[in-house]
Amino acid sequence: MNQIDKNFAKRKFEQMKNTHVLGQIVNEAGRLLRVDERRLSDHDSFIVSVRLTFERLTLYISAKPDDDSILIGLEPLPHGNDCEVAVADKRSHWLSVYGFACQWAWTLTNQQGYTDGLRFEFYSGSSRHVIELIVAASQIHYYDFTQA
């Protein structure tokens, strides 16, 4: 097996694992209770990982700086020592989904085959709240919108 085939197989395995983890978040986790961010100590807006705490599961999300891909798991992921943890309660994109269960979750894969983002959909009444986490320049960026 050549290196291209090995890389493809590795990415395919990661995609299958991610699909399983996100399925657990949608089907088993319950309501979102808390969001914590790990940020570089000297840069408040440089987010390197996020922890989503639901009623029954916790999802760990981390930026992989080697290739700007995103890592997810139900166990803590490795991180640098030059970080601090902060509660993300004040960030407006999370405020709209506290107390709601995630109804849909996707991994986002770029044109080079790297999984570099996640998309979550939460519903409250007739409103749909979407939050995307995208890794670029070794950090996690948020994009969100609400559709009434």
Side-chain angles (χ1 to χ4, degrees):
M1 183 181 286
N2 65 34
Q3 190 60 39
I4 293 172
D5 291 338
K6 287 179 185 177
N7 288 340
F8 177 79
K10 181 179 176 185
R11 286 192 205 135
K12 200 64 174 166
F13 174 77
E14 284 296 316
Q15 288 174 346
M16 289 173 28
K17 181 186 74 110
N18 291 345
T19 300
H20 178 73
V21 168
L22 293 179
Q24 288 181 277
I25 294 301
V26 169
N27 297 314
E28 302 171 25
R31 296 176 301 123
L32 180 65
L33 303 177
R34 180 183 171 116
V35 178
D36 297 294
E37 298 170 337
R38 184 171 294 279
R39 306 175 191 151
L40 287 183
S41 299
D42 54 346
H43 295 355
D44 187 46
S45 64
F46 199 104
I47 301 166
V48 295
S49 66
V50 178
R51 179 176 60 210
L52 304 179
T53 303
F54 294 86
E55 289 176 300
R56 292 178 289 282
L57 292 173
T58 299
L59 179 63
Y60 297 88
I61 304 165
S62 184
K64 184 178 172 193
D66 299 347
D67 59 9
D68 281 346
S69 62
I70 200 161
L71 300 171
I72 66 170
L74 298 176
E75 300 292 328
L77 299 166
H79 54 78
N81 295 329
D82 55 345
C83 297
E84 59 187 36
V85 175
V87 178
D89 288 341
K90 303 283 189 245
R91 297 201 186 264
S92 64
H93 41 262
W94 294 115
L95 289 176
S96 64
V97 298
Y98 275 122
F100 296 101
C102 180
Q103 301 296 313
W104 290 93
W106 289 265
T107 56
L108 305 175
T109 304
N110 66 27
Q111 76 281 359
Q112 296 176 330
Y114 292 98
T115 300
D116 60 356
L118 299 170
R119 176 184 171 121
F120 298 100
E121 286 192 16
F122 298 83
Y123 293 89
S124 60
S126 62
S127 295
R128 178 175 67 152
H129 306 277
V130 177
I131 299 176
E132 291 184 350
L133 292 80
I134 307 291
V135 175
S138 301
Q139 63 183 304
I140 296 173
H141 301 271
Y142 295 112
Y143 301 90
D144 65 285
F145 66 89
T146 299
Q147 182 181 27

